[in-house]
Amino acid sequence: MNNQKRKEILSRLRDENPNPTTELTFDSPFELLIAVMLSAQATDVSVNKATAKLYPIANTPESIWTLGVDGLKAYIRTIGLYNSKAENVIKTCRILIDQHGSQVPEDRAALEALPGVGRKTANVVLNTAFGWPTIAVDTHIFRVSNRTKFAMGKNVDQVEQKLIKVVPAEFKVDVHHWLILHGRYTCIARKPRCGSCIIEDLCEFDSKTE
């Protein structure tokens, strides 16, 4: 895999989807933050179903905090790990109210200091809510990056650092959306759909399927 191939791969993904974004439903940085927190080890579809009921009732730090842990659980109990997620969301709302004027901070350290928010969640919020050229590496991106040999690494941190190094600046804001969607719908885990893949001829996966 060389930089010329990488640029062609990203150019094709951009041509197919010029304005990619998350499949999580949100209307504010706060709604995005909560949705991403809820999406850990859960599908975007399941999160969207829950927030479709939650956000019309409570979609600010104050209103969700007022629900309390048990009140919030009633809306998110269909999502995996909802008990711990409810605890973290309520704690996060309190910190946003007390320390950040009820606003989501556009600051990595402040985001990662929130309960239940790690580097990946912070990257998603900084990228999708604020337009930072951050790259949030999830299981899809990790798989696609290694399988295609686009940016290989033994863990998500290594893949993130390699992507930051090899992805040209013009693609950095959108690359994690393209790779997530490619991994979710084409380069799937068990049997990648190589025959319908727009980058098959550039990919260096050794065991391509028909």
Side-chain angles (χ1 to χ4, degrees):
M1 182 61 62
N2 56 47
N3 288 334
Q4 184 177 353
K5 275 188 178 182
R6 291 187 180 99
K7 186 169 184 179
E8 177 61 23
I9 285 171
L10 295 174
S11 295
R12 290 185 192 180
L13 294 174
R14 179 174 62 187
D15 289 345
E16 183 182 53
N17 187 2
N19 299 296
T21 189
T22 178
E23 293 187 316
L24 292 169
T25 302
F26 71 97
D27 288 318
S28 69
F30 176 72
E31 287 188 0
L32 175 65
L33 171 63
I34 300 307
V36 178
M37 290 176 68
L38 296 176
S39 71
Q41 299 182 47
T43 66
D44 289 358
V45 172
S46 69
V47 173
N48 288 339
K49 286 181 179 178
T51 57
K53 296 177 181 178
L54 170 65
Y55 287 161
I57 304 301
N59 68 341
T60 64
E62 290 85 357
S63 56
I64 289 183
W65 187 80
T66 299
L67 286 176
V69 172
D70 290 337
L72 178 57
K73 284 181 184 179
Y75 289 95
I76 67 170
R77 64 176 64 254
T78 54
I79 299 173
L81 307 177
Y82 74 92
N83 284 310
S84 59
K85 289 176 181 178
E87 297 274 358
N88 285 332
V89 167
I90 294 300
K91 290 175 184 175
T92 286
C93 288
R94 188 70 256 172
I95 292 171
L96 292 178
I97 294 166
D98 292 343
Q99 299 180 21
H100 302 289
S102 298
Q103 300 299 307
V104 175
E106 190 178 345
D107 178 86
R108 177 183 296 285
L111 285 169
E112 291 187 19
L114 298 171
V117 176
R119 183 176 181 83
K120 185 179 78 171
T121 297
N123 277 340
V124 172
V125 173
L126 291 171
N127 175 275
T128 305
F130 300 115
W132 285 31
T134 54
I135 302 173
V137 178
D138 70 348
T139 55
H140 295 300
I141 293 182
F142 182 78
R143 179 177 67 256
V144 171
S145 296
N146 277 289
R147 182 183 274 166
T148 62
K149 297 183 172 59
F150 187 99
M152 299 179 72
K154 293 180 179 179
N155 55 55
V156 294
D157 291 334
Q158 288 183 7
V159 170
E160 179 185 342
Q161 293 309 312
K162 185 67 180 288
L163 286 168
I164 289 170
K165 181 179 178 181
V166 302
V167 172
E170 65 179 296
F171 300 107
K172 273 202 169 80
V173 170
D174 293 323
V175 65
H176 98 259
H177 295 301
W178 289 322
L179 294 180
I180 285 174
L181 293 170
H182 192 67
R184 187 172 288 165
Y185 297 111
T186 302
C187 196
I188 56 179
R190 291 192 177 183
K191 188 179 181 182
R193 296 164 178 156
C194 300
S196 61
C197 176
I198 63 170
I199 62 168
E200 181 186 6
D201 58 313
L202 300 168
C203 165
E204 297 187 1
F205 181 44
D206 295 328
S207 305
K208 290 179 181 173
T209 64
E210 292 298 327

